[in-house]
């Protein structure tokens, strides 16, 4: 629970009562709950339905973990947040049963009104202002203290709102609306930058901007020798068959046609293409349920790298799962671009990679610009239809100044 008018200082002094809806057959009503609590000064009520329900419960899930200190095991339970409001006006609970007992729900009244039944509660319609007058005249000392607390809280909220409004106006006057919009756009770029490979802005060569060792460690590179052997000795007929089967992404199939004749360079490019193809296929997954999601042919060190660096942990039904979230998809895209730059002499076709990764063009362009690439247009390159433009990403020195995303909609001029 959370309280709308302050923080709870002594949780051990609180007692809560939960009421549930009697209609357990109704798909919506059976989940309705009302939570009631009392302190020395105020009574509180919160619910998970109606117009005042908290939006956070529908946007995400909450869990409570109970740790057994003896066994070291934790049990995870579904949870829900209730916003507890001071009970200041006549309210009632209809068709609700307290969990686990008593059998009939009792109406809740802040005033000691003599009402014979729950049905007669509907006749008690008193405005909040009239209720305040009643409390001042006939209320108990506890209710009068609650009234004073609510009024003081309202005054405090007015003061706070005034202070926040004044501070916001001062910031707008000092920086201007245009500068604030640019700051927000810059924050978006910085959020993407968190998931980029380490960037050396002081590099003297393009290959040192995104170092190959930051993409693949020496041990990981060595482990790729066995699975990449299928690319080293591939024939044109096999490439044609793989293209028809669509067993690999378009970028890899196109690059396999241009493997160098030198044995060392050929082996290097084959390893890079195999890992790039694995990264792209890995990005198609959503929830990782298998220990080796890319199959037994994928080396253990590569599987561990994928799970550790390109997934987020999530909880579902009491178990931990690995999830490829939108931010992880952006991270995979950044590493794919960085690896493609090393493969293609630091210029790569972003449009082919975009189609392989199943991304929108604007998202691909944002990530490429965040990586300090110069994005340009080109036509007639292999891999796409002739009438479709390609976007080329080039990494060159000096690095361009990082700019905010240019995809924001232009504001309409107001007369």
């Amino acid at each position: 629970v959370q309280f709308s008018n302050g923080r709870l200082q002594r949780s051990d002094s609180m007692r809560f009562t939960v009421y549930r809806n009697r209609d357990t057959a109704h798909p919506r009503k059976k989940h309705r709950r009302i939570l009631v609590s009392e302190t020395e000064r105020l009574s509180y009520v919160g619910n998970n339905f109606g117009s005042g329900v908290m939006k956070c419960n529908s946007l995400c899930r909450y869990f409570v973990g109970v740790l057994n200190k003896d066994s070291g095991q934790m049990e995870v339970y579904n949870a829900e947040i209730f916003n507890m409001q001071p009970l200041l006006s006549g309210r009632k609970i209809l068709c609700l049963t307290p969990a686990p007992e008593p059998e009939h729900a009792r109406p809740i009244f802040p005033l000691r009104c003599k009402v014979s039944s729950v049905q007669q509660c509907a006749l008690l319609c008193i405005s909040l202002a009239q209720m305040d007058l009643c409390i001042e005249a006939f209320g108990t000392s506890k209710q009068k203290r609650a009234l004073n607390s609510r009024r003081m809280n309202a005054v405090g909220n007015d003061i706070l709102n005034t202070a926040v409004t004044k501070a916001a106006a001062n910031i707008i006057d000092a920086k201007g609306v245009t500068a604030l919009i640019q700051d927000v756009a810059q924050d978006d770029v910085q959020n993407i930058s968190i998931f980029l490979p380490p960037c050396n802005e002081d590099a003297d060569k393009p290959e040192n901007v995104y170092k190959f060792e930051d993409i693949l460690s020496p041990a990981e590179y060595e482990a790729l020798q066995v699975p990449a052997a299928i690319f080293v000795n591939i024939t044109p007929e096999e490439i044609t068959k793989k293209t028809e089967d669509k067993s690999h992404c378009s970028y890899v199939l196109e690059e396999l046609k241009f493997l160098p004749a030198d044995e060392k360079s050929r082996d290097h490019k084959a390893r890079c293409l195999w890992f790039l193809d694995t990264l792209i296929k890995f990005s198609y997954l959503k929830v990782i349920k298998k220990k080796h999601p890319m199959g037994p042919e994928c080396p253990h060190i590569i599987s561990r790298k994928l799970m550790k660096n390109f997934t987020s942990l999530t909880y579902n039904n009491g178990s931990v799962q690995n999830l490829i979230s939108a931010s992880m998809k952006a991270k995979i895209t950044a590493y794919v671009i960085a690896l493609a730059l090393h493969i293609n002499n630091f210029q790569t076709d972003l449009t082919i990679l975009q189609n392989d990764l199943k991304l929108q063009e604007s998202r691909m362009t944002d990530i490429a610009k965040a990586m300090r690439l110069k994005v340009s247009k080109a036509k007639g390159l292999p891999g796409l239809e002739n009438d479709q433009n390609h976007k080329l990403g080039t990494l060159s020195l000096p690095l361009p100044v990082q700019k905010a995303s240019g995809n924001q909609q232009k504001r309409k001029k107001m007369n």
Side-chain angles (χ1 to χ4, degrees):
V1 298
Q2 67 181 35
F3 292 84
S4 61
N5 63 333
R7 293 185 178 181
L8 188 61
Q9 295 180 349
R10 293 183 55 195
S11 58
D12 56 343
S13 63
M14 297 292 293
R15 293 295 180 267
F16 293 89
T17 304
V18 180
Y19 295 86
R20 68 173 184 269
N21 199 295
R22 286 177 174 172
D23 191 357
T24 57
H26 196 284
R28 291 185 180 179
K29 291 183 179 180
K30 66 180 181 179
H31 298 294
R32 292 183 176 181
R33 299 290 186 271
I34 292 180
L35 191 63
V36 180
S37 180
E38 292 186 1
T39 65
E40 296 178 355
R41 302 180 60 188
L42 281 173
S43 297
Y44 292 90
V45 65
N47 57 61
N48 62 352
F49 61 92
S51 58
V53 67
M54 298 183 67
K55 301 296 183 183
C56 61
N57 286 321
S58 60
L59 297 176
C60 53
R61 296 180 62 185
Y62 294 89
F63 301 90
V64 173
V66 180
L67 178 64
N68 188 326
K69 295 183 179 180
D70 297 331
S71 63
Q73 299 293 321
M74 176 178 286
E75 295 184 359
V76 180
Y77 299 90
N78 286 312
E80 196 171 8
I81 292 183
F82 281 79
N83 187 34
M84 306 299 290
Q85 303 267 0
L87 192 61
L88 300 171
S89 61
R91 297 187 184 182
K92 58 185 181 297
I93 302 176
L94 296 176
C95 301
L96 293 170
T97 303
E101 57 183 4
E103 181 179 359
H104 298 288
R106 63 179 178 87
I108 300 174
F109 300 104
L111 294 177
R112 295 179 178 176
C113 303
K114 293 183 179 180
V115 181
S116 58
S117 65
V118 175
Q119 286 75 13
Q120 293 179 8
C121 296
L123 301 176
L124 189 63
C125 295
I126 306 176
S127 67
L128 185 58
Q130 292 172 327
M131 180 66 73
D132 291 347
L133 294 176
C134 290
I135 292 176
E136 288 179 348
F138 310 108
T140 63
S141 58
K142 179 180 178 180
Q143 291 160 356
K144 291 179 180 179
R145 288 196 303 267
L147 177 61
N148 291 332
S149 297
R150 180 171 62 84
R151 287 175 172 174
M152 291 296 294
N153 186 53
V155 173
N157 286 338
D158 291 340
I159 296 174
L160 180 61
N161 291 335
T162 303
V164 171
T165 303
K166 185 177 180 180
N170 292 337
I171 294 174
I172 293 174
D173 292 339
K175 298 194 68 172
V177 177
T178 304
L180 290 174
I181 294 174
Q182 292 175 353
D183 288 346
V184 173
Q186 186 66 25
D187 289 341
D188 291 340
V189 174
Q190 290 175 356
N191 290 335
I192 294 178
S193 301
I194 298 174
F195 305 101
L196 303 183
C199 178
N200 180 17
E201 298 187 359
D202 300 325
D204 55 347
K205 298 178 181 179
E207 55 264 32
N208 293 331
V209 176
Y210 297 105
K211 294 183 179 180
F212 187 79
E213 294 76 13
D214 292 329
I215 304 172
L216 281 169
S217 68
E220 294 162 353
Y221 180 79
E222 185 65 27
L224 292 173
Q225 181 180 4
V226 175
I230 190 174
F231 286 169
V232 175
N233 304 315
I234 198 168
T235 63
E237 292 77 14
E238 291 175 333
I239 295 176
T240 303
K241 186 176 184 305
K242 288 181 180 294
T243 303
E244 294 173 354
D245 298 340
K246 297 181 179 180
S247 56
H248 300 286
C249 63
S250 301
Y251 178 87
V252 172
L253 291 171
E254 192 63 33
E255 289 298 325
L256 285 174
K257 300 176 183 178
F258 305 101
L259 288 174
D262 179 68
E263 183 178 351
K264 185 176 180 180
S265 301
R266 188 181 184 91
D267 176 66
H268 173 74
K269 187 171 183 178
R271 297 190 197 193
C272 294
L273 289 175
W274 192 92
F275 181 67
L276 186 143
D277 186 66
T278 302
L279 260 182
I280 292 178
K281 290 178 179 177
F282 187 72
S283 71
Y284 299 158
L285 306 177
K286 293 183 179 180
V287 178
I288 314 300
K289 299 181 179 179
K290 299 180 181 179
K291 189 175 181 180
H292 301 285
M294 304 313 295
E297 68 277 3
C298 183
H300 177 70
I301 190 173
I302 299 299
S303 294
R304 187 171 60 188
K305 177 186 181 70
L306 295 175
M307 299 292 285
K308 181 180 179 181
N309 296 339
F310 301 105
T311 64
S312 303
L313 289 179
T314 183
Y315 296 91
N316 186 23
N317 294 328
S319 62
V320 180
Q321 292 180 342
N322 293 84
L323 173 73
I324 299 182
S325 59
S327 58
M328 288 296 107
K329 179 86 176 211
K331 185 176 182 179
I332 292 174
T333 303
Y335 276 77
V336 166
I337 293 175
L339 188 56
L341 290 172
H342 281 275
I343 294 173
N344 286 104
N345 197 23
F346 304 98
Q347 185 180 68
T348 187
D349 192 326
L350 296 175
T351 305
I352 295 181
L353 292 177
Q354 168 205 324
N355 289 347
D356 286 336
L357 288 162
K358 300 178 182 179
L359 291 175
Q360 293 183 350
E361 180 179 326
S362 58
R363 183 65 169 168
M364 192 71 177
T365 303
D366 285 345
I367 296 174
K369 288 183 177 180
M371 294 180 68
R372 316 289 280 276
L373 270 62
K374 295 180 180 178
V375 180
S376 57
K377 293 182 179 180
K379 285 187 177 181
L381 294 180
L384 292 177
E385 293 79 4
N386 294 329
D387 60 345
Q388 191 171 6
N389 289 333
H390 289 243
K391 290 285 185 70
L392 295 180
T394 306
L395 181 63
S396 59
L397 297 178
L399 295 175
V401 179
Q402 198 170 35
K403 296 181 180 180
S405 172
N407 294 317
Q408 295 181 352
Q409 297 180 354
K410 294 183 178 180
R411 295 176 178 268
K412 294 182 180 180
K413 292 184 178 180
M414 303 294 292
N415 294 327

